[in-house]
Amino acid sequence: MESIIEAILFYFYVQAMLIFFRGLLGITFRKSVRVSHLSAATFTPLIPFPQNFFIFVNSFLCLFRYPLSTNNTFDSFNGYLDANSIKKIIREEKWEDFRIARLFDSALAPIWVSKILLALKQEPRLVLKFFKWAKTQTAFYHSAEGYCIVAHILFYSRMYSDTYDVLKELVTLSHGKKVLPCSDVLDVLWSTRNACNPGYGVFDALFSVLIELGLLKEASECFLRMRSFRVLPKARSCNYLLHKLSKLGDKNSSLKFFDDMIESGIVPTVYTYNILIDYLCKDGDLNAAKRLFTQMKDIGIDPDIVTYNSLIDGIGKHGELEDMVSLYKEMKKSKCLPDVVTYNTLINCFCRSGRMAAAFEYLHEMKTSDLKPNVVTYSIFIDVFAKEGMLQGAIKFFVDMRRVGLAPNEFTYTSLIDAHFKVGKVDEALKLVKEMLEVGVKLNVVTYATLVDGLCNEGNIKEAEEVFRVMLKDEIVPNLEVYTALIHGYIKSKRLVDALNILEQMKENNIRPDTLLYGIVLWSFCSDEKFEEAKNLYDKMKGLGIEGNYVIYTILAHAYFKAGKSIEAQTLLNEMQERGISPTVVTYSVLIDSLCRLGFVQEAMDHFHSMPKMGLQPNVVAYTCLIHGLCRNKCLEAAEKMFHEMLGKGIRPDKIVYTSLIDGNLKQGNIQDALDLRRRMTGSGLELDLHAYTALICGLSKNGQVSQARIIFDEMIENGVKPDEVVFSCLIRKFQEIGNLEEVLALQNEMMKRGLTTVTSDIAVHNIQT
């Protein structure tokens, strides 16, 4: 009887207070609110009022909510319901019972539901069943308090998955789908903590839910508020937030949260440090990463394989190869055994730095450690050989990769396709694309860029357009490299209008052209003497904040000089000098080299011959760039003419010039001319290096002069020049073709002695046996 009177008095008291507030402030009540931290109803103010008033109302109502949260009994409601009756109704699912209906007709239904949930706390499955059913009732919405009571009961009963679901719903299903402030949720969860014997794991669950929902800022705030309650989340949950922050690239928040963790007394684990060290290495902040590495060791946390791999990768990619090797040695000393990832990182960094011998040493060490090279290992070597135009080396690794049962991925195929395009083998490149599709490997944006660029360079613009259309059909968004390749192709085909259309398409797709792309288009305008268009494009480029470099200025200045517009050309050169970019021989040399790489040989020669007009005389660097570019573009006659011109001027050719001419002559079958150049080179006091010997040995081998190639190979070793895998592969392949197994085995043994792993030799033996 006393409980009924208490409930009635409470009901009238709350109603009176709400009417008072409504009359005072003009508040309209409504029940259609999904989640609220108010016990009975939520209100929407018709007039603005101070934030302090909200705090007062919340605090005031919490005074009445708190007794309900801690009262563990439920006697009766209007004399119809008691705890046993409610349990029976829920068990038997007699939801049509009029007593239940009367309960939900009350304005205080959320309060009574919370009391019922508390009364059922010994039977958590009934709690969850009733909680879910109540949500289906018309115009009824659980209060935030109800959600928190259920969360406490379920967590205490080790129903963790259901607890997470309830908390997730509480956070997300507020009015208008707006997220309920995490501070409010945490306050309510804290005020209802005595619903069961206090168990603080539920607060960690709320913290984890915020992270899972991507509310990282709210989770960070929740952490600080939990700290004020002296209820800290687990280290594992903190690591989860740290991982999410680092993945977003939020460096400041990541470091701040790490500091907050330490200040709160949460002991970091090796995983905590791994998250930050990996992020800082990828961000390029190696000093900070190294400091953390030292810190973790100082506090007694041993770095693991992940820690070392992250640092080795970060240090190596920044070119600090000696430091990378030192760390690798420290890793082995600490008895943390390197894995495939470690070796792949070492191999990749040495390959990118052109130190192939060291890369092969680590490949050999990897194998002797009983670690099998994986797809990444092979792909690294294939890509390096491809970029250097060493097709045979790339093919050898590709064949061996499949021989050991590894399936090439899209990156492997793309590198090999690029290698074929670089040597003009378009049909073989397209066959690889077909094979790639047949085995179910999808083309990615890098593959498409390689195809478009390769086809455009060969003048197959229609095929490149078709590839571009297929790419769009496959819903792959073109990147800057794809657009640049296509625009380059259009310009080479004298289709400037189409090139400009693609430039506009880039703008629509929010892809910003870079200096190289603008340089190509500007060169095209200038070549067609469209100076006004060139000026407009240049102004547009500067308007976008893209500053011209020496190539841009040189292109424009040369075009103006060529057209007799010396004033405009001089203006550009003055501007260039004001920006600290003075046109020098080096400027022209780089420009010549860039044009040759793009295939614009005639334009490169034009710029070379225009240097005297700028008061500059070509030096050995300028001649070398042009001769090397001419040989690379199969313009041997023009290259030899430039060679004799530089001799006539008393300019001494360097190793690159001789090597380029030797290679160019051998590729055209001019064996005697190549050998004469070799004699001339050594006669001038220049010693042959690895590149020169490689050009001679491979060139002679391909021209059927394998015995002569073998003699030069022996000379190479005698002169202290270490042959690499490419040289060995050329000789082994040719001796294999003529059936001289004795020489094949001798070369294989020589490779082994030099620590050049048996990748190539394995292939050779396999081919001989089959």
Side-chain angles (χ1 to χ4, degrees), residues 619-654:
N619 61 6
V620 65
V621 176
Y623 274 106
T624 299
C625 287
L626 185 57
I627 291 171
H628 180 61
L630 289 168
C631 289
R632 187 165 49 200
N633 284 277
K634 302 176 184 177
C635 301
L636 184 60
E637 187 177 341
E640 289 178 335
K641 183 179 178 182
M642 299 307 301
F643 174 70
H644 291 298
E645 180 181 307
M646 73 184 294
L647 288 174
K649 290 184 177 181
I651 300 173
R652 184 184 177 188
D654 60 11

Side-chain angles (χ1 to χ4, degrees), residues 81-111:
L81 282 174
D82 56 26
N84 290 329
S85 300
I86 251 318
K87 289 178 184 178
K88 184 177 180 181
I89 290 170
I90 296 171
R91 282 197 188 96
E92 298 176 3
E93 297 187 4
K94 292 183 177 179
W95 307 116
E96 69 281 358
D97 191 298
F98 76 95
R99 293 171 294 179
I100 289 287
R102 289 190 63 178
L103 186 150
F104 282 94
D105 283 340
S106 168
L108 295 179
I111 297 175

Side-chain angles (χ1 to χ4, degrees), residues 682-714:
T682 55
S684 66
L686 293 173
E687 294 182 357
L688 277 67
D689 59 9
L690 176 61
H691 297 291
Y693 275 117
T694 301
L696 274 167
I697 293 167
C698 292
L700 289 169
S701 297
K702 289 174 184 176
N703 281 285
Q705 301 294 316
V706 67
S707 297
Q708 181 72 15
R710 185 67 166 91
I711 293 169
I712 291 177
F713 175 79
D714 293 336

Side-chain angles (χ1 to χ4, degrees), residues 648-768:
K649 290 184 177 181
I651 300 173
R652 184 184 177 188
D654 60 11
K655 289 182 182 180
I656 297 174
V657 171
Y658 279 111
T659 302
S660 298
L661 289 168
I662 288 169
D663 185 58
N665 274 285
L666 286 171
K667 281 179 178 175
Q668 292 195 11
N670 304 332
I671 299 172
Q672 192 55 51
D673 290 341
L675 293 175
D676 288 343
L677 281 164
R678 181 260 180 121
R679 279 191 293 272
R680 190 165 192 166
M681 177 180 178
T682 55
S684 66
L686 293 173
E687 294 182 357
L688 277 67
D689 59 9
L690 176 61
H691 297 291
Y693 275 117
T694 301
L696 274 167
I697 293 167
C698 292
L700 289 169
S701 297
K702 289 174 184 176
N703 281 285
Q705 301 294 316
V706 67
S707 297
Q708 181 72 15
R710 185 67 166 91
I711 293 169
I712 291 177
F713 175 79
D714 293 336
E715 175 195 308
M716 175 185 186
I717 295 173
E718 188 179 334
N719 289 338
V721 179
K722 295 180 180 179
D724 61 8
E725 190 270 351
V726 176
V727 176
F728 276 107
S729 67
C730 287
L731 287 172
I732 289 172
R733 184 174 64 255
K734 284 300 174 182
F735 279 118
Q736 176 190 324
E737 287 175 3
I738 63 176
N740 192 336
L741 301 187
E742 185 179 346
E743 284 288 357
V744 170
L745 293 173
L747 287 165
Q748 287 178 339
N749 290 332
E750 183 69 26
M751 282 187 76
M752 290 294 291
K753 287 179 183 176
R754 295 180 175 276
L756 289 179
T757 189
T758 57
V759 173
T760 304
S761 54
D762 286 346
I763 297 169
V765 171
H766 173 72
N767 291 338
I768 292 167

